[in-house]
């Protein structure tokens, strides 16, 4: 059995089905550094025409891409299931969200791009106007192979940039298919995919005008440093170590249902997955029971099954990492390796971890969570905040006052009350604080600001004015 999901060592990218490593989803040559830089240069040429074509042309092209993706939804859903092992219901929802994201950004080329100000004295006009940087370099992970590239590309394109996408090797087939669909709707070289690994990622950062990265905290840090050294804008959305806080007044079954889905959904391979469950005071006993029951009701199963919630891990290494993470812990639920072809781990809940245990400090990216207890809300908030990451927290309570106190004291970029840590409202800003995020937020209307800079114009009467 091949242990690696992909390899780029021979300068070809080979992506395999995580439920059947013998099934090669795609094998292509890696772009290489020279072709990556060339893609950025061709993008820079094409971008001038793309901007000059006007807001109507950009809006129509994004709308057309949405239509093409919607028409291909069944095929794309199957590709997501096959290439990255996403349970089919979630894969279908990801394609639907991708279409909705494109339709949302298709409207934004018509938005105002600046403001008119009065001069301090005399006649004339002072104007501001946001202008695209040129070529946006996007570096993306494998776990949302359509939604993440599109939620970066759509605002970049709407603002008048060209885009070069360097996808994760594990999601190469999805990215190449997305590239084909974009190319049918956009002028040549406005959207290019460069398959490959770290060397293509590095080359991209060296050649573009603005960089948007999503992936692990370690790689994101290196990308931020390289882009900053070049003096170009960079945003990075990175890993999480997200907590769910459960108050004694919360309905245990309802809280458990939300948390179990956030622990085990897509085998925990979401930056927003819950990995720490903090029960406050008397919440511990009922929650332990309800959460154990809810997790037992989510068996790992083939992602093509309509009932699948927890599918495979992306690779054997990822599966081994998940298993190693709870090797010396007290396992309450799960902990076994399912007898299924591919790389599965059971949804697993552990408790009584010593404070220095790695599960409480490092992202596992698997269906694993630790149950912890806190004496009161302030202690739960200290525990939630006491990690380097700061992506999202959920708070489960029937008391709005308690929830509001939590909102003020929690230090994550997103806080969700009586909702799972997972889930994204794409029309609002999305992103993390501390080690989970760098730079301006993604998504929402504000995403266009990241891909543009402000120019200030002073217009005075030709005959002279104050
Ligand atoms: P990764 O960091 O291994 O890879 C991300 C991308 O960076 C890939 O395209 C990869 O090829 C590229 N890359 C690797 N080394 C590089 C280098 N030296 N220079 C430039 N590019 C390089 O992450 P992954 O395994 O694909 O994804 C999982 C991670 O992504 C998890 O940590 C998860 O939390 C995070 N994630 C975060 C968010 C978010 O919005 N915060 C969303 C999804 C995933």
């Amino acid at each position: 059995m091949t242990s690696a999901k992909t390899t780029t060592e021979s300068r070809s990218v080979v992506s395999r089905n995580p439920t059947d490593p013998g099934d090669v989803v795609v094998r292509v040559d890696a772009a290489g550094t020279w072709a990556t830089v060339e893609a950025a240069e061709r993008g820079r040429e094409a971008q001038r025409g793309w901007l000059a074509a006007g807001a109507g042309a950009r809006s129509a092209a994004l709308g057309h891409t949405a239509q093409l993706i919607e028409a291909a939804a069944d095929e794309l859903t199957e590709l997501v299931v096959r290439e990255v092992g996403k349970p089919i219901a979630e894969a279908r929802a990801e394609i639907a969200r991708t279409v909705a994201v494109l339709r949302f950004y298709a409207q934004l080329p018509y938005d105002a791009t600046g403001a008119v100000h009065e001069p301090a004295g005399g006649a004339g006009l002072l104007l501001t106007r946001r202008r695209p940087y040129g070529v946006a370099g996007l570096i993306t992970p494998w776990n949302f192979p359509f939604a993440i590239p599109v939620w970066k590309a759509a605002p970049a394109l709407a603002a008048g940039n060209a885009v070069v996408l360097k996808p994760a090797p594990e999601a190469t087939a999805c990215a190449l298919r997305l590239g084909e669909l974009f190319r049918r709707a956009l002028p040549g070289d406005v959207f290019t995919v460069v398959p490959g690994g770290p060397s293509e990622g590095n080359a991209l950062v060296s050649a573009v005008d603005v960089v948007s990265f999503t992936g692990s905290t370690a790689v994101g840090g290196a990308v931020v440093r390289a882009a900053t050294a070049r003096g170009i804008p960079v945003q990075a959305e990175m890993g999480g170590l997200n907590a769910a806080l459960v108050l004694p007044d919360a309905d245990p079954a309802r809280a458990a249902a939300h948390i179990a889905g956030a622990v085990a959904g897509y085998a925990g391979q979401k930056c927003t997955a819950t990995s720490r469950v903090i029960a406050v005071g008397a919440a511990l006993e009922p929650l332990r029971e309800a959460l154990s029951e809810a997790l037992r009701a989510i068996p790992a199963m083939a992602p093509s099954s309509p009932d699948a919630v927890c599918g495979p891990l992306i690779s054997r290494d990822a599966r081994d990492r998940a298993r190693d993470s709870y090797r010396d812990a007290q396992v309450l639920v799960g902990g076994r390796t399912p007898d299924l072809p591919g790389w599965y781990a059971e949804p697993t809940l552990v408790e009584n971890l010593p404070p220095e245990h790695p599960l409480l400090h490092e992202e596992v990216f698997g269906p694993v969570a630790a149950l912890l207890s806190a004496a009161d809300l302030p202690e739960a908030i200290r525990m939630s905040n006491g990690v380097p990451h700061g992506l999202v927290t959920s708070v489960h309570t029937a008391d709005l006052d308690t929830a509001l106190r939590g909102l003020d004291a929690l230090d994550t970029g997103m806080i969700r009350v009586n909702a799972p840590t997972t889930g994204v409202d794409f029309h609002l800003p999305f992103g993390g604080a501390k080690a989970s995020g760098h730079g301006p937020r993604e998504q929402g209307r504000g995403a266009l600001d990241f891909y543009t800079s402000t120019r200030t114009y002073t217009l005075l009467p030709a005959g002279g004015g104050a």
Side-chain angles (χ1 to χ4, degrees):
M1 191 193 259
T2 311
S3 69
K5 163 79 167 90
T6 58
T7 170
T8 51
E9 280 149 29
S10 58
R11 302 315 299 150
S12 66
V13 184
V14 183
S15 164
R16 296 168 191 277
N17 180 337
T19 67
D20 174 8
D23 175 19
V24 171
V25 184
V26 72
R27 182 191 301 270
V28 287
D29 288 342
T33 55
W34 187 83
T36 301
V37 171
E38 198 197 35
E41 282 168 4
R42 281 189 279 109
R44 201 163 283 115
E45 288 292 312
Q47 184 263 338
R48 292 189 199 106
W50 174 238
L51 179 64
R58 294 200 296 282
S59 174
L62 290 175
H64 187 196
T65 313
Q67 227 173 15
L68 294 172
I69 291 178
E70 193 168 48
D74 289 346
E75 170 224 325
L76 302 181
T77 299
E78 276 175 32
L79 184 58
V80 172
V81 174
R82 180 175 167 215
E83 187 169 41
V84 298
K86 183 165 289 196
I88 189 163
E90 268 209 62
R92 189 168 288 120
E94 177 175 345
I95 299 302
R97 171 145 43 111
T98 303
V99 171
V101 167
L102 280 161
R103 294 210 164 115
F104 175 78
Y105 285 108
Q107 298 310 307
L108 300 200
Y110 291 115
D111 272 11
T113 58
V116 181
H117 297 257
E118 292 300 310
L125 285 178
L126 304 181
L127 310 177
T128 60
R129 197 178 176 208
R130 296 200 70 94
R131 307 302 284 159
Y133 285 107
V135 183
L138 314 181
I139 302 177
T140 52
W142 48 264
N143 63 338
F144 287 87
F146 282 90
I148 290 182
V150 165
W151 84 45
K152 292 177 188 296
L157 292 166
N161 295 279
V163 162
V164 181
L165 167 67
K166 207 302 285 168
E170 295 88 340
T172 298
C174 290
L176 292 173
R177 190 72 185 99
L178 178 66
E180 283 167 17
L181 295 169
F182 262 123
R183 271 198 303 282
R184 279 172 59 190
L186 301 173
D189 295 331
V190 169
F191 185 99
T192 308
V193 179
V194 287
S199 47
E200 285 75 13
N202 276 321
L204 191 63
V205 176
S206 77
V208 294
D209 306 306
V210 51
V211 172
S212 181
F213 170 90
T214 298
S216 61
T217 300
V219 175
V223 167
V224 167
R225 285 190 293 280
T228 306
R230 284 195 59 224
I232 58 171
V234 55
Q235 70 181 178
E237 285 305 332
M238 299 172 278
L241 199 64
N242 311 303
L245 276 53
V246 183
L247 278 294
D249 62 10
D251 173 356
R254 196 175 146 75
H258 281 150
I259 295 168
V263 171
Y266 193 21
Q269 300 173 112
K270 300 178 192 175
C271 56
T272 52
T274 297
S275 54
R276 299 176 297 145
V277 184
I278 305 174
V280 177
L284 182 62
E285 297 305 323
L287 182 68
R288 181 193 283 120
E289 196 173 318
L291 186 54
S292 300
E293 193 181 325
L295 281 170
R296 278 192 204 102
I298 307 180
M301 67 171 82
S304 54
S305 161
D307 296 330
V309 172
C310 180
L313 279 293
I314 191 72
S315 65
R316 183 195 278 178
D317 286 351
R319 193 272 316 270
D320 292 351
R321 256 197 318 279
R323 281 196 316 206
D324 288 348
S325 73
Y326 50 74
R327 197 177 289 284
D328 55 357
Q330 185 178 326
V331 172
L332 266 173
V333 179
R336 289 166 309 193
T337 303
D339 185 19
L340 291 167
W343 298 301
Y344 291 84
E346 266 186 341
T348 297
L349 184 66
V350 303
E351 71 172 346
N352 294 328
L353 294 181
E356 67 283 2
H357 196 284
L359 259 177
L360 303 179
H361 303 278
E362 293 160 22
E363 184 187 47
V364 172
F365 227 51
V368 185
L371 179 61
L372 307 163
S373 68
D376 51 22
L377 180 63
E379 187 186 4
I381 291 171
R382 272 197 305 280
M383 289 164 71
S384 177
N385 291 350
V387 294
H389 309 74
L391 190 55
V392 56
T393 316
S394 66
V395 181
H396 304 265
T397 176
D399 178 358
L400 189 58
D401 285 358
T402 307
L404 287 173
R405 270 182 282 143
L407 301 194
D408 277 347
L410 289 164
D411 67 1
T412 49
M414 295 172 291
I415 295 158
R416 293 165 62 87
V417 176
N418 296 322
T421 52
T422 50
V424 173
D425 299 299
F426 64 81
H427 52 304
L428 269 75
F430 173 92
K434 295 159 61 186
S436 295
H438 173 94
R441 295 285 185 262
E442 297 199 90
Q443 308 201 41
R445 296 185 105 78
L448 264 70
D449 290 350
F450 173 68
Y451 294 102
T452 53
S453 67
T454 298
R455 294 209 189 139
T456 303
Y457 303 84
T458 303
L459 279 68
L460 298 183

